Amino acid sequence: MAAVRIAPRLRSLPLLLPGPDAAATAAAVHRSCSSCGGSLAALAPARLRAMSSSSSSSSVSPSPYTTLVGRVSCEREIKKSKFIAIAAPVPDERAAMSFLNEVSDPRATHNCWAYKLGEQFRYNDDGEPSSTAGKPIYSAIISSGIDMVMVVVIRYFGGIKLGTGGLVRAYGGVASECLKDAPTCLVKPKARVGMEVPFDLLGTVYHQLQHYQAEDIKQDYDTGKDGTVMVMFKLEYEKIENLGNAVNSACSRKIELLL
């Protein structure tokens, strides 16, 4: 389900909470913006998809996932080699690589790592025998049930070789220990949603937005339609369909949600 994408030339105005004179206030702001360039009506149809109240968002919405609350670490010594595992939540590959650059120690013998970003994953042995370091770290992530996370295991060689089996157990074990009791949270993905609202229905719509805990609410009056404002906000995917039904019922008319 794509997020609402507003062309950069559009001008977002400060949020005005509707009150008894919401329609008059909105009309005044609309008149003051008559010189603004661009229009929401000019957006390519492919960028916006209208979702009627009867459509289901569950078939395309991303599922909630469990991730770390913050950075955690764990240290173990195995046959004189020191292993330090450091894990952190990461939103994307760029953040994962930034985290790797931050925590890697160039003085260490190896900086091995793995990350999982939904269906996307990578791991690296950093000079250890193939599949003896990165892959066991990734397996530990899978076993933990944690997503959107990266784990880096730093090894300082102590002079005793562990063998392939010993390396697998060492890297996988310290990664598992690091994640085992780490504080986690459930994340419910959110979509950027928009709806074109007549001025006289702003109060009704805002009541529903507050009830469904919409976030980052903004307004744009340059819709190309008189008496209408584009209201944009973030909302959990699983609430979108119910919000659409509630808005249509409260307004006694169909107001499409643009995703």
Side-chain angles (χ1 to χ4, degrees):
M1 187 175 292
V4 171
R5 299 172 63 185
I6 304 301
R9 66 176 181 273
L10 293 178
R11 180 173 167 188
S12 292
L13 301 174
L15 175 62
L16 300 175
L17 293 178
D21 298 323
T25 302
V29 175
H30 179 67
R31 287 194 297 272
S32 71
C33 290
S34 59
S35 62
C36 298
S39 169
L40 283 174
L43 287 176
R47 289 190 174 185
L48 295 177
R49 183 178 65 181
M51 186 193 79
S52 66
S53 60
S54 60
S55 65
S56 173
S57 62
S58 60
S59 60
V60 294
S61 61
S63 301
Y65 61 89
T66 299
T67 193
L68 296 177
V69 171
R71 186 176 302 191
V72 291
S73 62
C74 173
E75 181 177 331
R76 288 179 58 189
E77 183 175 314
I78 302 173
K79 293 186 177 180
K80 297 186 178 181
S81 283
K82 183 165 69 172
F83 292 84
I84 302 174
I86 309 173
V90 288
D92 50 40
E93 184 176 17
R94 182 175 180 178
M97 293 298 98
S98 177
F99 174 67
L100 174 63
N101 292 333
E102 177 187 347
V103 302
S104 293
D105 186 352
R107 299 169 300 176
T109 315
H110 304 281
N111 292 277
C112 307
W113 52 269
Y115 68 68
K116 183 178 184 299
L117 303 170
E119 298 300 316
Q120 179 185 2
F121 67 90
R122 281 182 62 189
Y123 51 79
N124 188 284
D125 296 311
D126 192 36
E128 294 282 29
S130 179
S131 299
T132 62
K135 190 172 183 179
I137 297 171
Y138 176 67
S139 296
I141 294 175
I142 293 296
S143 298
S144 73
I146 298 173
D147 201 357
M148 308 302 285
V149 65
M150 183 171 197
V151 180
V152 179
V153 179
I154 304 167
R155 181 190 182 189
Y156 299 89
F157 183 59
I160 300 176
K161 294 184 177 181
L162 302 182
T164 56
L167 289 172
V168 170
R169 290 189 292 273
Y171 280 101
V174 70
S176 294
E177 187 174 340
C178 182
L179 297 174
K180 182 179 179 182
D181 297 318
T184 60
C185 60
L186 181 66
V187 177
K188 297 182 178 181
K190 296 172 182 164
R192 189 71 182 166
V193 186
M195 63 174 73
E196 290 185 346
V197 182
F199 292 162
D200 61 330
L201 294 178
L202 276 173
T204 302
V205 168
Y206 268 89
H207 176 74
Q208 296 300 327
L209 292 180
Q210 292 168 1
H211 177 74
Y212 284 92
Q213 300 177 315
E215 301 175 356
D216 193 22
I217 304 173
K218 297 178 181 179
Q219 296 176 356
D220 197 308
Y221 290 86
D222 190 20
T223 64
K225 299 178 182 180
D226 291 337
T228 301
V229 58
M230 174 64 80
V231 179
M232 298 160 287
F233 52 92
K234 288 182 180 179
L235 188 70
E236 294 173 6
Y237 276 91
E238 61 184 28
K239 295 181 179 180
I240 292 175
E241 184 177 356
N242 289 338
L243 172 65
N245 292 334
V247 167
N248 289 340
S249 176
C251 295
S252 299
R253 60 183 293 183
K254 181 179 179 181
I255 296 181
E256 293 181 329
L257 304 186
L258 305 176
L259 308 176

